[in-house]
């Protein structure tokens, strides 16, 4: 399929929101190449276009960035791109932490993002055996999780002495 299915026949713009109902056709839409565009440019029409079976989950990071308020509708832990999207979940969906948090699937390379954006959920995500010990992650603990110092201070001491 060509990208022409995204072009509005009224104004000629790609992914036009003003005439969305005119050009939108779920059956004719190129989901493989256009899912990321729907999430990015048409989030206000989410309830019209959302189809979890057609959406290209490789674009799930765009759902996090632009459709966070609908996370209770679209969230699927098994289809989400955890490897690259964990940071974005922390940043854009911190207020929905209890919806998406999964200690086993989270990419702990982005531990610093948990400290920075999800510090109020520290007691749920803190795991010294999994938390990343790189300098950026340790600095995030110190800067954003100071009130939990009693929980992480030995982790920080040990890992800063061995750097």
């Amino acid at each position: 399929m060509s990208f022409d299915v995204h072009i509005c026949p009224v104004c000629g713009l790609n992914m036009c929101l003003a005439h969305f109902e005119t050009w939108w056709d779920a059956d004719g839409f190129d989901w493989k190449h256009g899912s990321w565009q729907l999430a990015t440019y048409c989030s206000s029409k989410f309830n019209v276009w959302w189809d979890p079976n057609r959406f290209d989950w490789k674009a799930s990071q765009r759902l996090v960035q632009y459709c966070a308020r609908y996370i209770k509708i679209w969230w699927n832990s098994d289809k989400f791109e955890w490897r690259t999207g964990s940071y974005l979940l922390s940043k854009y969906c911190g207020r929905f932490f209890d919806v998406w948090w999964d200690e086993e699937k989270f990419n702990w390379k982005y531990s610093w993002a948990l400290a920075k954006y999800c510090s109020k959920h520290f007691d749920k995500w803190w795991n010294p055996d999994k938390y990343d010990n790189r300098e950026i992650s340790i600095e995030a603990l110190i800067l954003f999780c100071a009130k939990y110092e009693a929980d992480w201070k030995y982790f920080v001491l040990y890992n800063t002495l061995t750097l």
Side-chain angles (χ1 to χ4, degrees):
M1 282 198 171
S2 74
F3 284 95
D4 292 343
V5 295
H6 309 145
I7 303 297
C8 173
V10 177
C11 66
L13 294 176
N14 188 36
M15 306 299 282
C16 167
L17 271 179
H19 307 110
F20 183 84
E21 283 78 12
T22 303
W23 64 264
W24 174 246
D25 174 15
D27 293 327
F29 188 75
D30 182 358
W31 289 90
K32 181 175 171 64
H33 297 104
S35 288
W36 71 271
Q37 291 179 320
L38 284 172
T40 304
Y41 303 116
C42 303
S43 63
S44 65
K45 302 289 186 180
F46 178 86
N47 288 320
V48 177
W49 60 258
W50 176 246
D51 184 333
N53 297 316
R54 291 180 172 185
F55 187 82
D56 181 5
W57 283 90
K58 291 178 185 157
S60 60
Q61 295 172 348
R62 299 294 179 114
L63 288 173
V64 172
Q65 288 177 279
Y66 301 102
C67 303
R69 68 178 175 233
Y70 303 107
I71 193 170
K72 291 179 182 177
I73 298 169
W74 62 257
W75 180 248
N76 185 321
S77 179
D78 294 327
K79 292 185 177 183
F80 185 75
E81 291 283 326
W82 286 95
R83 185 181 58 79
T84 55
S86 290
Y87 152 74
L88 295 171
L89 281 170
S90 301
K91 182 175 182 179
Y92 294 104
C93 297
R95 69 179 185 240
F96 304 109
F97 184 86
D98 292 326
V99 172
W100 60 264
W101 176 244
D102 186 324
E103 181 175 330
E104 298 307 315
K105 292 183 178 182
F106 187 82
N107 184 347
W108 287 91
K109 177 175 98 174
Y110 298 109
S111 296
W112 64 268
L114 287 171
K116 183 172 183 179
Y117 301 112
C118 301
S119 62
K120 74 178 190 176
H121 301 288
F122 180 89
D123 60 318
K124 297 174 187 170
W125 59 256
W126 175 246
N127 183 335
D129 295 328
K130 293 190 178 218
Y131 195 84
D132 181 47
N133 66 354
R134 291 176 302 153
E135 188 175 351
I136 187 173
S137 298
I138 290 173
E139 287 176 2
L141 276 176
I142 295 167
L143 286 171
F144 303 107
C145 300
K147 76 181 204 176
Y148 303 104
E149 182 180 3
D151 295 308
W152 55 253
K153 72 178 174 184
Y154 292 111
F155 173 86
V156 169
L157 283 171
Y158 174 79
N159 285 290
T160 52
L161 292 173
T162 59
L163 288 177

